[in-house]
Amino acid sequence: MRAAGCVINDIWDRKLDAQVERTRSRPLPSGEVTPRQALVFLTLLLVTGLAVLLQFNKLSIKLGFLSLALVATYPLMKRITWWPQLFLGFTFNWGALLGWTALQGRLPLHIESIPLWLYAGGIFWTLAYDTIYAHQDKEDDATIGIRSTARLFGKHSKIFVGAFFMLAITCFGVAKFFAAPSQMTQLLIALPVAHALWQLHIWKMDDAASCLKVFKMNRDFGFLVLLMLVF
């Protein structure tokens, strides 16, 4: 489904991508792949995803179908809201809910709901790293009218990204506490906190290469969060 979402995004954005220096060489805007070929590939991905989804319980199947609404509409958000990164967070982190229901057969909706805290943490994390990512294209985006949190926050982006990181880590820590409270959590939570602060320290908002480098560092940030959760 992640791959299908990327194809849908590139189909919607093929004309916009052609106007952005970083994305104009992608398969669709460059003409390497035609929209019809992309639709055929999308169909194959969706059929494969459906085959996998139907192996799960009924609640998981329903959640899987609900995710299609997010996958299909997310690419439009950059045209109508300054918060497309928030909608990306809703979409990318749906697996926290679906994975839980696939294993447990239910989705708790109360304050101690572990999957909801994981989902919230994932959303805040996405807001952080995708705002960093969006700073690569802020000049082209301004020219063609694309909205993003990078443009919305502007020179104050480090403050907002830092807040998103801390909210994400807090949500992940709460999920860990409700799942298996441990004194080690207090020690291990310092690792993603330190990594987030390091990202903010070295990030140069007006340097596209720095934005991409720091964005990719979130692979390691994610590993540290995983370590905190599973230890």
Side-chain angles (χ1 to χ4, degrees), residues 51-118:
V52 174
L53 183 63
L54 292 177
Q55 308 306 309
F56 298 142
N57 55 58
K58 291 182 179 179
L59 178 57
S60 298
I61 292 172
K62 291 177 182 178
L63 283 176
F65 277 106
L66 283 175
S67 72
L68 290 175
L70 292 170
V71 172
T73 58
Y74 155 70
L76 300 176
M77 295 304 164
K78 62 174 70 73
R79 297 164 171 82
I80 61 177
T81 175
W82 288 100
W83 291 86
Q85 281 69 30
L86 177 61
F87 287 89
L88 180 66
F90 292 152
T91 307
F92 264 17
N93 298 287
W94 198 257
L97 307 179
L98 184 55
W100 183 274
T101 60
L103 290 172
Q104 301 291 334
R106 60 186 180 87
L107 181 61
L109 300 175
H110 50 71
I111 191 65
E112 296 184 7
S113 174
I114 297 168
L116 292 183
W117 284 105
L118 290 174

Side-chain angles (χ1 to χ4, degrees), residues 3-231:
C6 290
V7 175
I8 293 172
N9 183 77
D10 285 0
I11 291 173
W12 277 115
D13 289 352
R14 63 188 185 279
K15 294 182 179 179
L16 293 176
D17 286 345
Q19 302 176 61
V20 177
E21 182 179 357
R22 184 180 59 83
T23 58
R24 64 180 51 150
S25 61
R26 287 179 175 176
L28 280 167
S30 68
E32 183 180 354
V33 173
T34 67
R36 182 177 180 179
Q37 290 172 326
L39 288 171
V40 171
F41 185 48
L42 174 62
T43 301
L44 292 173
L45 291 171
L46 291 174
V47 169
T48 303
L50 177 62
V52 174
L53 183 63
L54 292 177
Q55 308 306 309
F56 298 142
N57 55 58
K58 291 182 179 179
L59 178 57
S60 298
I61 292 172
K62 291 177 182 178
L63 283 176
F65 277 106
L66 283 175
S67 72
L68 290 175
L70 292 170
V71 172
T73 58
Y74 155 70
L76 300 176
M77 295 304 164
K78 62 174 70 73
R79 297 164 171 82
I80 61 177
T81 175
W82 288 100
W83 291 86
Q85 281 69 30
L86 177 61
F87 287 89
L88 180 66
F90 292 152
T91 307
F92 264 17
N93 298 287
W94 198 257
L97 307 179
L98 184 55
W100 183 274
T101 60
L103 290 172
Q104 301 291 334
R106 60 186 180 87
L107 181 61
L109 300 175
H110 50 71
I111 191 65
E112 296 184 7
S113 174
I114 297 168
L116 292 183
W117 284 105
L118 290 174
Y119 187 50
I123 291 169
F124 285 123
W125 182 25
T126 303
L127 275 165
Y129 68 66
D130 206 56
T131 298
I132 295 171
Y133 187 81
H135 267 273
Q136 295 179 95
D137 303 324
K138 58 189 175 185
E139 294 181 0
D140 285 335
D141 287 349
T143 300
I144 61 178
I146 293 300
R147 302 174 183 181
S148 70
T149 49
R151 291 187 59 208
L152 176 64
F153 302 147
K155 63 181 181 179
H156 304 296
S157 288
K158 281 197 176 184
I159 297 174
F160 284 94
V161 168
F164 292 144
F165 269 126
M166 294 308 113
L167 286 168
I169 294 168
T170 299
C171 290
F172 291 139
V174 171
K176 166 66 175 177
F177 175 79
F178 287 140
S182 167
Q183 293 182 344
M184 284 297 295
T185 302
Q186 300 175 9
L187 175 63
L188 290 173
I189 204 171
L191 298 177
V193 169
H195 193 280
L197 292 174
W198 176 245
Q199 289 187 54
L200 293 171
H201 175 69
I202 68 171
W203 177 32
K204 299 176 182 178
M205 291 187 292
D206 296 324
D207 182 345
S210 175
C211 293
L212 183 60
K213 176 183 177 181
V214 175
F215 166 75
K216 290 182 177 180
M217 288 174 63
N218 280 276
R219 171 195 59 190
D220 303 322
F221 175 87
F223 175 77
L224 294 175
V225 170
L226 177 64
L227 183 66
M228 177 190 74
L229 292 174
V230 303
F231 190 87

